[in-house]
Amino acid sequence: MLFRRRRPEGIFDRLRTALWPRRSFGRSFQYFVKRVLRLTATPHAIAAGVAAGVFASWTPLLGFHFVLAFVIAYILAGNMVAAALGTAFGNPISFPFIWALTLKLGNLLIGVPHDAAHRHVDLHSLLTHLNVSQLWEPVIKPMLIGCVPPGLLTAIAFYVLTYWGVTAFQTRRKSKLAARARVRIQELAAARAERRAEKANRA
């Protein structure tokens, strides 16, 4: 390949890039915003897709965030690309805060006492026999319940912000395209008038 790396990127480099982007978080955020704004869809579809991805990121279903985001986006008539971009809300920086909040909030909603929340997990049974029930009661169940309130709040907030941003961007882009079209029409009209004047002078 023409632009292939001279030295293949190793596992450590990939992990470092996932935790700390090369372009800094500010430039990565700007790139994300531009990708969302430039999608060709209605403001509702883009905003619903982003909201679906954000909500899916709150769930503890690692590995299924894209699938869940696509399902929610389909139900809400959202854009699938926007849903995939919305899952970027869940990243190695935000996941520790998301998991801690959803676990604590889930135990609070279920009514599990603070001492009882720290139940023993048999890692040997979990890894040897793939006994997922070891994680269901103490971890997955409270996180699934605890992810709903903050997931809905952030999804609604992202929907409103995305809808407003996309609407403003598309309106501004349409006005610029219309202005360019008017200038182009005026230039063509002026060129035609000049050619007519030249023909009249020759005659």
Side-chain angles (χ1 to χ4, degrees), residues 62-85:
L62 288 178
F64 297 94
H65 284 170
F66 283 107
V67 177
L68 181 59
F70 292 155
V71 171
I72 299 175
Y74 178 78
I75 295 174
L76 299 177
N79 183 272
M80 297 300 173
V81 178
L85 293 173

Side-chain angles (χ1 to χ4, degrees), residues 69-137:
F70 292 155
V71 171
I72 299 175
Y74 178 78
I75 295 174
L76 299 177
N79 183 272
M80 297 300 173
V81 178
L85 293 173
T87 57
F89 180 83
N91 53 72
I93 303 298
S94 63
F95 274 143
F97 301 98
I98 290 175
W99 294 338
L101 177 61
T102 54
L103 181 61
K104 187 174 183 178
L105 183 59
N107 286 322
L108 181 64
L109 293 176
I110 295 174
V112 177
H114 180 72
D115 297 334
H118 303 284
R119 295 175 54 184
H120 174 69
V121 177
D122 188 356
L123 292 178
H124 181 269
S125 177
L126 173 65
L127 298 176
T128 305
H129 306 289
L130 298 178
N131 189 2
V132 185
S133 61
Q134 293 290 329
L135 291 177
W136 172 254
E137 285 292 336

Side-chain angles (χ1 to χ4, degrees), residues 150-164:
L152 288 176
L153 289 176
T154 52
I156 293 173
F158 269 84
Y159 177 89
V160 173
L161 291 174
T162 305
Y163 188 92
W164 174 81

